[in-house]
Amino acid sequence: MGRTGMLLVGHGSKLPYNKELIETTANLITKKTDDYLVKPGFMSLNTPTVEEQLEAFRGEDIDMLVVVPLFLARGVHIEQDIPEILGLPAGARKGEFRLNGKTVPLVYANPIGSDPLLAELMLKNASDAIAELKP
């Protein structure tokens, strides 16, 4: 199988940190593996938008597109807005994506949710904060 496209979806914000976080995460994924062609996209307030990045993927040589929301929990964007943009029926996680005259599988990933890795990160953040108190 060839390369997989990954659309990393962020919410977007008036504050620059949100955009930087999504873009930095996309770059970290790219540095970690060659298996994915990663593009960040935003639901609102930032560019490129999810729609713009879907269009950008239409010119790429990929065999599959996975859409990964960088959101902690399910909400309106996860349950309604993103699936609508992707052309997926309510509750569906799989579909098709047309590009370069062919159709490839499209897969919609879950948000982060309650994951042991998230618990580990929170423990690290707590430990880092406590360490800042020490002289």
Side-chain angles (χ1 to χ4, degrees):
M1 186 167 195
R3 205 162 186 206
T4 298
M6 179 190 293
L7 176 54
L8 188 63
V9 179
H11 186 276
S13 173
K14 291 179 183 177
L15 302 175
Y17 178 73
N18 181 274
K19 182 174 182 171
E20 292 167 9
L21 182 140
I22 303 300
E23 292 173 338
T24 298
T25 303
N27 288 332
L28 289 169
I29 294 167
T30 298
K31 288 177 184 174
K32 189 173 181 91
T33 179
D34 291 330
D35 294 342
Y36 294 94
L37 172 62
V38 184
K39 295 181 185 285
F42 301 90
M43 290 302 300
S44 62
L45 302 172
N46 294 124
T47 57
T49 65
V50 170
E51 293 89 344
E52 289 168 342
Q53 291 296 51
L54 286 171
E55 196 58 37
F57 270 115
R58 293 190 199 287
E60 300 289 354
D61 185 21
I62 56 173
D63 293 334
M64 176 185 294
L65 179 61
V66 59
V67 178
V68 181
L70 189 48
F71 286 64
L72 285 177
R74 295 182 182 281
V76 174
H77 283 323
I78 297 297
E79 295 296 325
Q80 295 174 7
D81 300 338
I82 296 171
E84 184 177 306
I85 291 168
L86 300 175
L88 295 175
R93 305 301 269 173
K94 300 176 191 171
E96 295 179 336
F97 184 68
R98 298 241 349 120
L99 72 152
N100 297 326
K102 67 179 181 177
T103 301
V104 299
L106 179 142
V107 182
Y108 179 40
N110 287 315
I112 297 167
S114 296
D115 187 288
L117 292 173
L118 186 60
E120 289 297 320
L121 181 59
M122 294 304 96
L123 288 169
K124 177 193 172 296
N125 287 354
S127 180
D128 290 350
I130 292 167
E132 289 177 12
L133 294 176
K134 297 179 181 174

PDB file of all heavy atoms in Angstrom, residues 40 54 56 83 90 100 104 118:
ATOM      1  N   PRO A  40      -2.408  20.070   8.191  1.00  0.00           N
ATOM      2  CA  PRO A  40      -3.309  20.582   9.223  1.00  0.00           C
ATOM      3  C   PRO A  40      -4.430  21.418   8.603  1.00  0.00           C
ATOM      4  O   PRO A  40      -4.214  22.123   7.617  1.00  0.00           O
ATOM      5  CB  PRO A  40      -2.393  21.455  10.085  1.00  0.00           C
ATOM      6  CG  PRO A  40      -1.360  21.953   9.112  1.00  0.00           C
ATOM      7  CD  PRO A  40      -1.179  20.849   8.095  1.00  0.00           C
ATOM      8  N   LEU A  54      -8.778  19.532   2.206  1.00  0.00           N
ATOM      9  CA  LEU A  54      -9.353  18.426   1.433  1.00  0.00           C
ATOM     10  C   LEU A  54      -9.093  18.651  -0.048  1.00  0.00           C
ATOM     11  O   LEU A  54      -8.702  17.731  -0.774  1.00  0.00           O
ATOM     12  CB  LEU A  54     -10.857  18.295   1.703  1.00  0.00           C
ATOM     13  CG  LEU A  54     -11.254  17.713   3.054  1.00  0.00           C
ATOM     14  CD1 LEU A  54     -12.751  17.862   3.266  1.00  0.00           C
ATOM     15  CD2 LEU A  54     -10.827  16.248   3.162  1.00  0.00           C
ATOM     16  N   ALA A  56      -6.640  20.399  -1.301  1.00  0.00           N
ATOM     17  CA  ALA A  56      -5.200  20.217  -1.516  1.00  0.00           C
ATOM     18  C   ALA A  56      -4.840  18.737  -1.643  1.00  0.00           C
ATOM     19  O   ALA A  56      -3.972  18.365  -2.437  1.00  0.00           O
ATOM     20  CB  ALA A  56      -4.412  20.862  -0.380  1.00  0.00           C
ATOM     21  N   PRO A  83     -18.136  15.409   9.983  1.00  0.00           N
ATOM     22  CA  PRO A  83     -18.721  14.406   9.082  1.00  0.00           C
ATOM     23  C   PRO A  83     -19.471  15.030   7.896  1.00  0.00           C
ATOM     24  O   PRO A  83     -19.391  14.526   6.774  1.00  0.00           O
ATOM     25  CB  PRO A  83     -19.676  13.621   9.984  1.00  0.00           C
ATOM     26  CG  PRO A  83     -19.097  13.768  11.348  1.00  0.00           C
ATOM     27  CD  PRO A  83     -18.518  15.163  11.380  1.00  0.00           C
ATOM     28  N   ALA A  90     -24.589  10.537   9.200  1.00  0.00           N
ATOM     29  CA  ALA A  90     -24.505  10.587  10.658  1.00  0.00           C
ATOM     30  C   ALA A  90     -24.038   9.246  11.212  1.00  0.00           C
ATOM     31  O   ALA A  90     -24.549   8.196  10.840  1.00  0.00           O
ATOM     32  CB  ALA A  90     -25.863  10.961  11.248  1.00  0.00           C
ATOM     33  N   ASN A 100      -7.533  12.876  -8.194  1.00  0.00           N
ATOM     34  CA  ASN A 100      -6.767  12.485  -9.376  1.00  0.00           C
ATOM     35  C   ASN A 100      -7.483  11.441 -10.238  1.00  0.00           C
ATOM     36  O   ASN A 100      -6.865  10.508 -10.740  1.00  0.00           O
ATOM     37  CB  ASN A 100      -5.393  11.926  -8.963  1.00  0.00           C
ATOM     38  CG  ASN A 100      -4.524  12.955  -8.271  1.00  0.00           C
ATOM     39  OD1 ASN A 100      -4.582  14.135  -8.590  1.00  0.00           O
ATOM     40  ND2 ASN A 100      -3.739  12.511  -7.323  1.00  0.00           N
ATOM     41  N   VAL A 104     -10.450   6.807  -3.328  1.00  0.00           N
ATOM     42  CA  VAL A 104      -9.687   6.118  -2.287  1.00  0.00           C
ATOM     43  C   VAL A 104     -10.536   6.068  -1.017  1.00  0.00           C
ATOM     44  O   VAL A 104     -11.449   6.879  -0.838  1.00  0.00           O
ATOM     45  CB  VAL A 104      -8.331   6.805  -2.007  1.00  0.00           C
ATOM     46  CG1 VAL A 104      -7.463   6.815  -3.261  1.00  0.00           C
ATOM     47  CG2 VAL A 104      -8.505   8.208  -1.460  1.00  0.00           C
ATOM     48  N   LEU A 118      -3.000  10.063  27.640  1.00  0.00           N
ATOM     49  CA  LEU A 118      -3.420  11.380  28.111  1.00  0.00           C
ATOM     50  C   LEU A 118      -3.221  11.476  29.627  1.00  0.00           C
ATOM     51  O   LEU A 118      -2.754  12.500  30.133  1.00  0.00           O
ATOM     52  CB  LEU A 118      -4.885  11.649  27.738  1.00  0.00           C
ATOM     53  CG  LEU A 118      -5.412  13.037  28.045  1.00  0.00           C
ATOM     54  CD1 LEU A 118      -4.631  14.107  27.302  1.00  0.00           C
ATOM     55  CD2 LEU A 118      -6.887  13.123  27.676  1.00  0.00           C
TER      56      LEU A 118
END
